[in-house]
Amino acid sequence: MIIHAQQPIVEVHDLTVSYARKPVLWGVDFTLPSGCIAGIVGPNGAGKSTLLKTIMGLIPPSSGYIKLFDRPVDEVRSRVSYVPQRESVDWDFPVSVLDVVLMGRYGKVGLLRNTGARDQAIARDCLDKVGMAAFAKRQISQLSGGQQQRVFLARALAQESDIYFMDEPFAGVDAATEQAIIGLLREMASAGKTIIVVHHDLQSARTYFDWIILLNMRLVAAGPTDQAFTDETIQQAYGGRLNLLSQVGDVMEKRAFPSREN
Amino acid sequence: MHSLIDFFSFSDPNVRYVVVGNVLLSASAAMVGAFILLQKKALVGDAVSHAVLPGICAAFLFSGSKNTAFMLVGAFITGWLALVAIDYITAKSKIKKDAAIGLVLSVFFGVGMVMMTYIQQSGNAAQSGLDHFIFGKAATLIGSDLIIFSILAAVLLVVVGLFFKAFTLVAFDRPYAQALGYPVRKLDLLLTSLTVLAVVTGITAVGVVLMAAMLITPAAAARYWTDNIRRMVGIAVAFGMFAGLAGAYISYTAPSMPTGPWMVVVSSAIAFFSFFFAPRKGIVPKLYTQRRNQRIIAEENTLKIFYHLGERTGHFNGMRHFNELTGAREVDKPLLEATLKRLVAQKLLISQGDQWGLTDGGWRKATRVVRLHRLWELYLTSYMNIAADHVHDDAETIEHILTPELERELEAQLGYPDKDPHDTEIPKI
């Protein structure tokens, strides 16, 4: 069940990604319409984060390509935000909350110039949107998990992009933060932003997302939630790995075989 | 004292060279070192500083003289090769990074020592003093060297200043930097080159082996004093400069003393001091806070004894004998005595020989602690579904830390109650 968008803003074309020659994603191919909240859903080890990192150009694909706004990602980075997993950074780093949010402006100001008063104002405004305005001067090690996630979100907002890729923004946050975040995402989507969220909770996925990408090393389903997110597709995605797929991957790793002939 | 005045008048041109050279090199090393530390690459600095030795020896063999410019080029090349080797081994083999660093460090330094020995036994007259590059001798700094070091240090300071923001971003959140389109690999390359450059500026004065310490120690010490990266780099630079100055002074007063080791000793002393005494993060302030908390707990518990005796007997302001107090609550007697004396000093108790009684202030404080205890017990039973016979131990701790604001909120949430879960009265002040 793969339904393509009419005028896609995100296009992932026949994407295969490998770690040390072992494919972790096979021939993933889907499109997303603009202004939707899309959930990338699948069991542990399905390759959800890998897919996001590959779209952002952090991992080179073995084959296939990605287009955002019909162009390669390197050409449109100023219009794309990325929220990495919260655990991926050292929260004991000597910077304040405001410093972190200001990093969202670094793409706009460029490599050598410093952020200015306008960037400060935008950063504070974004902190306000996630309900963290009072914490601007706080050192980041003093934040709770939910607050850390809000700070990351504010940093992405400060980029003022059109597409937002978020890796597990609901992992390890309290219910209040989760509701606050989803409310904010809905607001952004109704303002025409496109939001792609890696998520692992099946219960809430149905209500949070209007587009679903169901993944388990290969694409199981993609499309509007009511059509792509059915008991049948969920069963396919969660019913266990395709054993043969894993075995072929192991053989490729062992023999250092390329995933394409040339 | 004379030497101090002589030294700081800078009338001797040699002293000027040494001081300026030392201060410049330690400042630039500390600045680069701060970012190496934050990127968790401290061991890499160590490897580089050892790996420049074969480059220095090769430059000598090639040029036949101790020309500083040649030495720097040679050092730069092998320092750089070492980093490339570490990256290559880590990426292409099963050897992990720490092992690769250890491997590269010892192989490069070993080769350097072999070359050094060969040169020393070759009978070349120009070689005398080459071994200073291992441990450094600031006294050998001359005017022309100083110009080279000043230029290098200035380049380092300017480049780090320019890329401050980018280095911070890469150190904090590498994938995000990449996602923003920052040239992360090129920035790595730049920081690597700066590291080599910083080590190279120190080879004459500090020596290759100890330059690693001048990179990392000031930054590690500075991390104890602040949570702000700009301030941290500034403090690291200040620590480095102080160590440089102190090293120069010591080797000036005792000319047989090598400069490098003294600079390292001074900066290590700063690091030790920071480790033990830095406010909040140091060991001693932490111990002090713990001790203070213990005292507060002991004092408040003692006041509670008086309150409970008061409740039992119906009067709060009588004098109590020491034995009466120890009978009411299981306490360590010497501790109780010490605490009673402190409470008297704080005017919360009055004493007459072996008799002790609450003052007005003491009564208020005792009441408040008991009140907080009972409020918290009630909160635990009504909001957290904990059985009434399980709440006492929790409340024993929480009663000491609740602030007046929390107290008001607690009271409001519980609806201004009169009785705790054991049906005892919650006192009001």
Side-chain angles (χ1 to χ4, degrees):
Chain A
M1 166 68 70
I2 292 156
I3 301 166
H4 282 278
Q6 289 298 321
Q7 284 170 319
I9 194 167
V10 176
E11 181 189 359
V12 173
H13 184 89
D14 196 17
L15 192 74
T16 297
V17 187
S18 318
Y19 284 130
R21 298 207 177 274
K22 182 176 179 173
V24 288
L25 283 174
W26 297 72
V28 173
D29 191 291
F30 64 88
T31 50
L32 292 175
S34 88
C36 72
I37 305 180
I40 302 179
V41 182
N44 280 337
K48 304 183 295 281
S49 290
T50 304
L51 175 60
L52 214 61
K53 285 180 186 156
T54 313
I55 295 176
M56 288 309 299
L58 308 180
I59 301 173
S62 312
S63 71
Y65 63 80
I66 293 122
K67 281 189 171 178
L68 308 175
F69 310 103
D70 209 23
R71 284 154 75 185
V73 63
D74 273 328
E75 290 176 19
V76 291
R77 286 204 181 272
S78 63
R79 298 178 65 188
V80 184
S81 279
Y82 173 56
V83 180
Q85 280 185 25
R86 188 162 51 83
E87 292 84 9
S88 66
V89 303
D90 170 14
W91 287 96
D92 199 27
F93 202 79
V95 288
S96 70
V97 166
L98 187 64
D99 288 333
V100 174
V101 180
L102 273 171
M103 288 177 188
R105 303 299 301 165
Y106 283 10
K108 292 271 191 293
V109 299
L111 190 58
L112 295 180
R113 269 199 322 133
N114 256 320
T115 50
R118 207 180 88 83
D119 302 304
Q120 288 255 354
I122 292 171
R124 281 184 187 281
D125 189 40
C126 294
L127 269 178
D128 195 35
K129 277 186 195 150
V130 298
M132 291 284 290
F135 293 80
K137 292 282 168 211
R138 202 64 83 81
Q139 209 263 325
I140 54 170
S141 64
Q142 299 167 9
L143 301 178
S144 71
Q147 290 169 337
Q148 291 173 353
Q149 195 62 60
R150 286 168 191 241
V151 171
F152 261 18
L153 206 61
R155 182 176 70 170
L157 290 178
Q159 283 182 250
E160 299 185 316
S161 312
D162 298 311
I163 306 183
Y164 293 81
F165 291 97
M166 305 184 176
D167 203 344
E168 299 264 12
F170 302 119
V173 308
D174 52 288
T177 300
E178 182 157 341
Q179 286 313 313
I181 293 176
I182 195 71
L184 190 66
L185 299 189
R186 290 208 172 109
E187 224 172 273
M188 288 159 66
S190 58
K193 314 279 188 194
T194 309
I195 299 145
I196 297 97
V197 177
V198 169
H199 193 61
H200 64 251
D201 181 38
L202 288 174
Q203 300 294 318
S204 50
R206 196 179 297 279
T207 51
Y208 285 176
F209 307 122
D210 35 45
W211 202 279
I212 286 277
I213 296 144
L214 204 52
L215 211 63
N216 190 356
M217 292 183 74
R218 78 285 181 195
L219 186 65
V220 175
T225 305
D226 49 351
Q227 294 168 59
F229 202 54
T230 61
D231 288 347
E232 192 191 341
T233 57
I234 293 170
Q235 177 56 34
Q236 271 182 45
Y238 284 79
R241 295 266 157 81
L242 294 183
N243 206 6
L244 192 67
L245 207 59
S246 303
Q247 285 178 20
V248 172
D250 288 341
V251 174
M252 287 169 83
E253 183 187 21
K254 216 185 232 159
R255 293 182 46 193
F257 223 69
S259 67
R260 284 290 182 277
E261 283 178 8
N262 40 37
Chain B
M1 199 58 214
H2 256 300
S3 66
L4 195 72
I5 296 164
D6 282 351
F7 181 81
F8 282 103
S9 65
F10 301 118
S11 51
D12 183 347
N14 199 35
V15 170
R16 275 204 297 271
Y17 294 149
V18 172
V19 168
V20 174
N22 267 4
V23 166
L24 275 177
L25 83 89
S26 0
S28 49
M31 195 162 179
V32 176
F35 286 99
I36 300 175
L37 185 81
L38 289 174
Q39 290 210 10
K40 305 190 170 58
K41 286 182 177 167
L43 277 177
V44 174
D46 203 15
V48 176
S49 58
H50 283 81
V52 297
L53 186 62
I56 293 168
C57 295
F60 178 80
L61 285 173
F62 179 73
S63 69
S65 71
K66 292 203 303 289
N67 181 313
T68 311
F70 274 115
M71 303 276 169
L72 293 184
V73 174
F76 194 82
I77 292 172
T78 49
W80 227 88
L81 272 179
L83 289 173
V84 174
I86 291 170
D87 279 345
Y88 187 82
I89 293 172
T90 318
K92 300 285 177 186
S93 76
K94 288 223 175 272
I95 296 172
K96 299 283 178 257
K97 184 135 191 174
D98 59 335
I101 291 172
L103 208 65
V104 167
L105 182 153
S106 42
V107 168
F108 273 71
F109 192 64
V111 170
M113 287 309 285
V114 169
M115 290 168 83
M116 176 77 76
T117 316
Y118 169 78
I119 292 168
Q120 279 171 336
Q121 286 170 356
S122 67
N124 185 336
Q127 63 84 23
S128 81
L130 193 64
D131 53 336
H132 288 154
F133 288 124
I134 300 181
F135 289 122
K137 190 150 183 68
T140 58
L141 273 174
I142 52 169
S144 61
D145 292 345
L146 189 64
I147 295 173
I148 297 176
F149 291 133
S150 312
I151 294 171
L152 288 182
V155 167
L156 281 171
L157 295 176
V158 169
V159 175
V160 173
L162 272 177
F163 288 91
F164 199 100
K165 186 186 78 175
F167 285 148
T168 309
L169 177 65
V170 173
F172 175 61
D173 194 344
R174 200 185 174 76
Y176 188 71
Q178 251 173 306
L180 284 179
Y182 270 55
V184 171
R185 292 200 66 85
K186 283 185 192 140
L187 287 167
D188 279 348
L189 215 64
L190 181 64
L191 186 65
T192 302
S193 308
L194 293 177
T195 311
V196 180
L197 210 60
V199 170
V200 164
T201 54
I203 54 176
T204 339
V206 187
V208 293
V209 176
L210 295 171
M211 245 343 249
M214 290 311 292
L215 278 173
I216 301 305
T217 325
R223 183 68 186 87
Y224 275 92
W225 296 88
T226 179
D227 280 330
N228 176 316
I229 187 164
R230 286 168 217 94
R231 249 175 258 147
M232 179 188 148
V233 174
I235 294 172
V237 167
F239 283 168
M241 286 165 86
F242 179 77
L245 195 66
Y249 174 69
I250 292 168
S251 72
Y252 172 77
T253 49
S256 60
M257 285 288 183
T259 329
W262 272 110
M263 283 167 73
V264 173
V265 167
V266 172
S267 71
S268 308
I270 296 173
F272 271 113
F273 181 82
S274 308
F275 179 67
F276 284 106
F277 298 107
R280 283 191 300 120
K281 292 192 183 128
I283 303 261
V284 172
K286 272 187 186 160
L287 284 176
Y288 176 77
T289 312
Q290 270 175 29
R291 206 173 113 93
R292 206 185 49 194
N293 285 340
Q294 288 303 329
R295 283 188 165 198
I296 290 175
I297 290 173
E299 286 166 17
E300 296 190 347
N301 284 345
T302 307
L303 290 174
K304 256 173 31 182
I305 300 177
F306 284 93
Y307 189 90
H308 288 145
L309 286 172
E311 271 187 327
R312 217 170 294 162
T313 55
H315 62 97
F316 290 92
N317 39 16
M319 298 299 277
R320 310 281 176 195
H321 192 263
F322 188 76
N323 291 337
E324 199 180 348
L325 297 174
T326 52
R329 185 185 168 105
E330 233 175 86
V331 280
D332 179 49
K333 283 181 186 167
L335 177 73
L336 179 65
E337 243 185 287
T339 312
L340 286 169
K341 282 182 187 141
R342 276 207 309 278
L343 287 167
V344 171
Q346 291 173 32
K347 299 209 166 54
L348 297 171
L349 291 182
I350 43 168
S351 73
Q352 283 171 358
D354 229 5
Q355 304 264 337
W356 313 77
L358 286 172
T359 62
D360 278 354
W363 175 80
R364 266 197 301 278
K365 189 150 186 188
T367 313
R368 179 163 187 273
V369 176
V370 171
R371 176 179 153 71
L372 291 177
H373 181 103
R374 292 179 183 166
L375 278 172
W376 190 251
E377 284 189 337
L378 189 61
Y379 181 77
L380 289 180
T381 49
S382 41
Y383 278 86
M384 291 168 67
N385 299 323
I386 299 177
D389 55 338
H390 287 182
V391 293
H392 177 77
D393 291 341
D394 275 323
E396 276 292 284
T397 323
I398 305 298
E399 66 190 16
H400 303 297
I401 57 165
L402 286 177
T403 59
E405 296 84 54
L406 286 169
E407 179 188 347
R408 273 196 295 281
E409 184 164 343
L410 196 57
E411 208 182 10
Q413 278 200 23
L414 293 169
Y416 303 94
D418 297 322
K419 298 268 164 125
D420 78 356
H422 313 291
D423 215 29
T424 328
E425 194 195 338
I426 297 176
K428 293 198 171 62
I429 301 166

